[in-house]
């Protein structure tokens, strides 16, 4: 594997999940692979899980790991070419990226959608410059349009908890006070569409996601109908994708919050969320604290998805 930005990079998805579950059984079995290799993790945005789990994954593989927070101590970076740099930006991304590439063997990048220019976001302007100019294999740690390490961990978790061959998995929009990217729901849809599940997406009108991610998934605008018979409820907020509302909040309707009443409509479903989650906006205290909530094992699987991806990249260096 040379880059990891979406489900296709994993090839045979069943084989990838199988490999991940094998790694989980003995996560130190490949410690030799990363010897004298350095993983650089570059963050343009905050993180708790991705930072810790990816660093841990690299260490499990015997790698040295370096974390760079661009907004804390690094020079302010200009990202546009042709700009006369007489403002507050000290360094250009076009020098910074190849320099970062000099000090490592693999680079993970977190660069969220900025909601300033839809085309820039959906062309993955920042991530693709790392791929093009770093000279090193690059993987996404949540970029503008996707969070494939999260979705891979989600699929591993569903595989571990499913009680039927083909479970019903419902991705539901839920309210949030701030405009959030579509990266998590995009990647979740990207993966579920390739997995052996009955996949349904529910959201208020106006929150349609990009067709390149939704593909053939069922859309149900009535959340109660969507939840009926669900085996897994995956809640997430996202801001509008479609024009002219790209990046806007259209609703904060708490009728969409996942509550005990909503969960009662399901087939005793498991509750999932990528975290961080705002309680009593996305999900009530009762539901997230219930035995059906698997948000912690889901987060734990981030170490496993990251390790599977980094292992495959190391094997191809
Ligand atoms: C981010 C998002 O929604 O994309 C990260 C989630 C993993 N969430 C927030 O910014 C709260
Ligand atoms: N789920 C996830 O990626 O969490 P962080 O933003 O804390 O890394």
């Amino acid at each position: 594997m040379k880059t990891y930005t979406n489900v296709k990079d994993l090839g045979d998805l069943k084989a990838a999940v199988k490999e991940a579950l094998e790694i989980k059984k003995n996560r130190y079995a490949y410690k030799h692979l990363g010897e004298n290799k350095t993983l650089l993790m570059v963050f343009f945005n905050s993180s708790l899980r991705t930072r810790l789990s990816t660093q841990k994954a690299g260490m499990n593989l015997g790698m040295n790991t370096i974390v760079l927070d661009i907004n804390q101590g690094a020079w302010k970076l200009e990202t546009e070419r042709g700009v006369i740099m007489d403002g507050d930006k000290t360094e250009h991304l076009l020098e910074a990226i190849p320099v970062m590439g000099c000090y490592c063997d693999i680079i993970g990048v977190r660069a969220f959608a900025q909601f300033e220019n839809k085309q820039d976001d959906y062309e993955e302007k920042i991530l693709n410059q790392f791929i093009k100019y770093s000279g090193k294999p690059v993987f996404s740690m949540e970029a503008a349009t996707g969070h494939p390490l999260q979705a891979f961990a989600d699929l591993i978790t569903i595989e571990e908890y499913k009680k039927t061959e083909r479970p019903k998995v419902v991705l539901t929009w839920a309210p949030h006070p701030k405009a959030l990217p579509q990266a998590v729901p995009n990647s979740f849809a990207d993966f579920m569409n390739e997995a052996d599940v009955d996949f349904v997406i529910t959201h208020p009108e106006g929150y349609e996601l990009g067709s390149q991610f939704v593909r053939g998934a069922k859309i149900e605008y009535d959340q109660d109908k969507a939840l009926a018979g669900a085996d897994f409820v995956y809640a997430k907020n996202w801001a509008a994708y479609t024009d002219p509302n790209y990046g806007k909040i259209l609703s904060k309707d708490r009728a969409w919050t996942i509550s005990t009443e909503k969960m009662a409509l399901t087939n005793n479903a498991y509750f999932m969320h990528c975290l961080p989650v705002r309680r009593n906006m996305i999900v009530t205290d009762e539901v997230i604290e219930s035995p059906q909530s698997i948000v912690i094992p889901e987060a734990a699987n981030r170490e496993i998805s990251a390790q599977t991806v980094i292992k495959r990249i190391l094997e191809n260096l």
Side-chain angles (χ1 to χ4, degrees):
M1 196 189 282
K2 273 230 174 304
T3 54
Y4 181 63
T5 65
N6 64 56
V7 71
K8 284 194 207 82
D9 294 324
L10 288 176
D12 181 339
L13 197 51
K14 274 206 172 94
V17 171
K18 194 165 168 248
E19 186 177 334
L21 292 171
E22 285 299 318
I23 287 171
K24 191 167 180 175
K25 278 189 224 150
N26 185 3
R27 61 192 81 190
Y28 304 107
Y30 300 94
K31 225 171 161 41
H32 60 282
L33 262 184
E35 195 182 4
N36 296 332
K37 297 282 190 293
T38 300
L39 169 64
L40 173 63
M41 301 162 59
V42 181
F43 288 91
F44 287 84
N45 313 93
S46 304
S47 167
L48 187 153
R49 278 143 291 273
T50 304
R51 172 187 301 255
L52 297 177
S53 62
T54 311
Q55 194 166 5
K56 177 70 163 57
M59 294 191 299
N60 292 350
L61 290 161
M63 299 186 82
N64 301 311
T65 59
I66 308 176
V67 179
L68 178 66
D69 285 301
I70 294 288
N71 298 321
Q72 281 168 23
W75 301 110
K76 261 195 190 305
L77 294 179
E78 177 58 60
T79 56
E80 294 299 317
R81 215 176 148 271
V83 170
I84 298 168
M85 287 173 59
D86 61 354
D88 65 337
K89 311 265 178 71
T90 312
E91 177 156 30
H92 203 286
L93 203 59
L94 289 173
E95 280 79 54
I97 290 176
V99 167
M100 290 186 235
C102 294
Y103 308 137
C104 64
D105 301 282
I106 302 177
I107 307 185
V109 179
R110 167 161 286 200
F112 288 179
Q114 294 176 42
F115 287 153
E116 280 162 17
N117 180 319
K118 183 175 179 176
Q119 197 179 338
D120 283 356
D121 286 344
Y122 272 73
E123 282 175 358
E124 290 286 9
K125 206 170 164 184
I126 305 282
L127 182 69
N128 280 331
Q129 291 192 74
F130 274 87
I131 292 171
K132 199 164 166 195
Y133 299 118
S134 70
K136 295 291 150 73
V138 171
F139 64 94
S140 165
M141 299 196 300
E142 185 174 343
T145 67
H147 194 357
L149 286 177
Q150 181 65 50
F152 187 18
D154 297 333
L155 178 61
I156 295 165
T157 311
I158 289 170
E159 188 62 31
E160 288 177 315
Y161 281 83
K162 73 179 187 189
K163 291 177 188 143
T164 54
E165 260 314 292
R166 196 178 157 79
K168 178 174 178 183
V169 177
V170 179
L171 166 63
T172 179
W173 179 92
H176 191 278
K178 298 212 168 129
L180 295 185
Q182 295 96 26
V184 170
N186 282 346
S187 279
F188 189 69
D190 202 24
F191 272 69
M192 289 304 118
N193 281 321
E194 300 307 315
D196 200 8
V197 301
D198 174 16
F199 183 48
V200 180
I201 306 175
T202 183
H203 53 70
E205 290 202 28
Y207 278 100
E208 291 76 15
L209 295 163
S211 58
Q212 66 274 42
F213 300 102
V214 173
R215 304 200 282 275
K218 267 175 253 160
I219 309 292
E220 170 56 70
Y221 290 99
D222 182 330
Q223 190 194 38
D224 288 0
K225 276 192 193 154
L227 293 174
D231 297 299
F232 293 89
V233 174
Y234 192 96
K236 183 71 183 82
N237 174 268
W238 62 88
Y241 166 75
T242 50
D243 297 322
N245 293 320
Y246 179 67
K248 295 214 173 96
I249 296 175
L250 307 178
S251 167
K252 292 183 189 172
D253 186 359
R254 286 200 284 120
W256 283 75
T257 301
I258 297 298
S259 60
T260 306
E261 294 71 36
K262 294 280 180 186
M263 291 301 281
L265 301 170
T266 70
N267 180 31
N268 195 25
Y270 287 111
F271 175 80
M272 299 178 73
H273 189 280
C274 62
L275 306 181
V277 72
R278 291 191 185 231
R279 285 180 175 218
N280 305 307
M281 288 295 298
I282 302 281
V283 57
T284 63
D285 292 313
E286 291 74 24
V287 171
I288 199 164
E289 289 169 6
S290 75
Q292 292 310 104
S293 168
I294 53 172
V295 296
I296 307 302
E298 180 184 359
N301 277 334
R302 289 293 307 278
E303 180 182 338
I304 306 306
S305 64
Q307 193 174 333
T308 310
V309 166
I310 298 167
K311 171 180 170 276
R312 284 184 170 199
I313 296 174
L314 282 170
E315 284 167 342
N316 192 53
L317 276 183

